[in-house]
Amino acid sequence: MLQPIIIALDFESKEKVQSFLASFSGERLFVKVGMELFYQEGPDLIRMLKEQGHAIFLDLKLHDIPNTVHKAMVGLAKLDVDLVNVHAMGGIEMMERAVQGLEEGSRGQRPKCIAVTQLTSSSKKIMNEEISIPGSIEQSVVNLAENTRTAGLEGVVSSPLEVPLIKGNCGSEFLTVTPGIRLLSDEKNDQKRVTTPGKAKELGSDHIVVGRTITCSENPVQTYRNIQNEWGITFETTGR
Ligand code: C5P
């Protein structure tokens, strides 16, 4: 059973990851490796995290022609991570080919695949005026989530605020992984559609992704515990 709280390891080197994880003294976490880290440290880092027993969301947000995404996914499946993603904006065929690639490349159970709908840093103004997608963020998110389900993926990345809408349209089993999480005391930084961990749970998020709130905290372990508490998890039940 995967932890509901995913810690975004947004660091630029393996050394920084190691020193961050050291304070968790061997606790098994659900971590997210994104572009910043993977482009520097590559598959070796994934192997290291797996050896330490962490569950891994490899957040590379693939978006290319279907054939390229298919081949990339064959390779990523070999890393035996738990969760990968694509941009739903790449279209249904691209997403179908992503899943096929994962099936072909994996040795056991294939990694789950989810799709980014609208980035949580986006806004209606950006979507309408810069990217020329008309309508509301919610309309675009529902459309992209429905395409994702049609293509056979397990769920989407979205803002927690959109979870009820997504679950309403795609079913309660359809996974929602939600970044854009802030504690009441935090800065929003570049995130626009944010909520607290407790509110995300109330809205029905399956997993929250938390980056700077934990990684930039003076006491990351304590902040993680506070978020677990807000989610209703006690330390004893975290599977150490
Ligand atoms: O530091 P913060 O909590 O804002 O980090 C959120 C993490 O989730 C980052 O790693 C970011 O790349 C990722 N993410 C996001 N919005 C999405 C998809 C992923 O913020 N739609």
Side-chain angles (χ1 to χ4, degrees), residues 51-70:
E51 274 161 24
Q52 294 174 358
H54 303 298
I56 302 168
F57 170 19
L58 186 53
D59 174 26
L60 299 180
K61 302 186 180 72
L62 274 62
H63 187 174
D64 207 320
I65 58 169
N67 188 51
T68 302
V69 169
H70 172 254

Side-chain angles (χ1 to χ4, degrees), residues 45-114:
L45 176 100
I46 302 296
R47 286 187 269 272
M48 179 194 89
L49 293 170
K50 280 202 63 88
E51 274 161 24
Q52 294 174 358
H54 303 298
I56 302 168
F57 170 19
L58 186 53
D59 174 26
L60 299 180
K61 302 186 180 72
L62 274 62
H63 187 174
D64 207 320
I65 58 169
N67 188 51
T68 302
V69 169
H70 172 254
K71 286 183 177 156
M73 285 300 191
V74 171
L76 292 184
K78 296 196 168 91
L79 298 176
D80 204 17
V81 293
D82 299 270
L83 188 62
V84 294
N85 62 356
V86 294
H87 267 286
M89 217 78 93
I92 295 176
E93 188 192 343
M94 187 205 78
M95 292 194 274
E96 285 171 345
R97 300 274 284 144
V99 173
Q100 274 172 20
L102 291 171
E103 278 163 4
E104 283 169 35
S106 64
R107 287 173 274 248
Q109 207 186 3
R110 74 159 171 83
K112 286 189 173 152
C113 189
I114 56 178

Side-chain angles (χ1 to χ4, degrees), residues 141-215:
V141 166
V142 168
N143 172 43
L144 292 168
E146 285 176 345
N147 289 351
T148 304
R149 195 191 48 173
T150 302
L153 280 69
E154 278 75 20
V156 288
V157 185
S158 73
S159 157
L161 301 169
E162 287 132 19
V163 170
L165 200 60
I166 292 166
K167 297 266 185 190
N169 281 275
C170 299
S172 60
E173 298 301 302
F174 195 64
L175 271 188
T176 51
V177 176
T178 62
I181 302 296
R182 292 290 178 269
L183 296 173
L184 289 176
S185 52
D186 286 340
E187 298 280 330
K188 277 164 71 176
N189 307 109
D190 52 349
Q191 299 282 20
K192 301 214 164 53
R193 309 194 313 283
V194 299
T195 57
T196 61
K199 183 73 185 165
K201 183 173 187 195
E202 206 182 294
L203 290 166
S205 291
D206 296 290
H207 297 275
I208 51 173
V209 177
V210 190
R212 286 161 287 187
T213 294
I214 297 177
T215 55

Side-chain angles (χ1 to χ4, degrees), residues 108-154:
Q109 207 186 3
R110 74 159 171 83
K112 286 189 173 152
C113 189
I114 56 178
V116 176
T117 53
Q118 288 291 341
L119 289 170
T120 39
S121 56
S122 195
S123 65
K124 184 172 189 290
K125 187 170 166 17
I126 294 175
M127 214 182 68
N128 296 165
E129 294 174 22
E130 285 180 32
I131 322 177
S132 297
I133 297 176
S136 66
I137 293 245
E138 289 72 20
Q139 283 166 332
S140 172
V141 166
V142 168
N143 172 43
L144 292 168
E146 285 176 345
N147 289 351
T148 304
R149 195 191 48 173
T150 302
L153 280 69
E154 278 75 20

